[in-house]
Amino acid sequence: NEICRKFRDKTASVLIKDRVVLEIKKQLANSNSSIKEIVYSLNFNDPANFNKFFKSSTGVSPSQFREEHYK
């Protein structure tokens, strides 16, 4: 945590969360996989927890993000 704060001004957990959100966005935008397939490929145990995690991080649900990306 000290090193992360020193170089990135964020905690390690925030950096990990940001990286997971980035990976979710990449898969939603560039994959034809269903959201449920993405959930399990990223080792989330429950689609509801995945949706809650993504929405709290981005302000939109995974389906809304995908829909907006394809406009």
Side-chain angles (χ1 to χ4, degrees):
N1 265 335
E2 288 178 33
I3 293 170
C4 291
R5 284 183 190 264
K6 181 178 179 181
F7 291 103
R8 299 293 231 156
D9 201 30
K10 293 181 179 180
T11 64
S13 61
V14 169
L15 291 173
I16 293 167
K17 181 180 176 181
D18 289 349
R19 180 63 182 100
V20 171
V21 170
L22 179 63
E23 184 60 30
I24 293 168
K25 286 179 177 181
K26 285 176 20 180
Q27 287 197 26
L28 288 170
N30 300 317
S31 168
N32 290 328
S33 300
S34 71
I35 292 173
K36 195 171 190 177
E37 289 172 326
I38 294 170
V39 167
Y40 294 117
S41 74
L42 294 173
N43 294 320
F44 281 83
N45 294 325
D46 181 30
N49 288 338
F50 175 84
N51 287 335
K52 184 177 176 182
F53 172 80
F54 188 80
K55 189 167 186 170
S56 71
S57 300
T58 64
V60 296
S61 70
S63 57
Q64 289 171 321
F65 177 85
R66 182 175 262 179
E67 186 177 300
E68 289 174 10
H69 181 74
Y70 285 121
K71 283 185 181 179

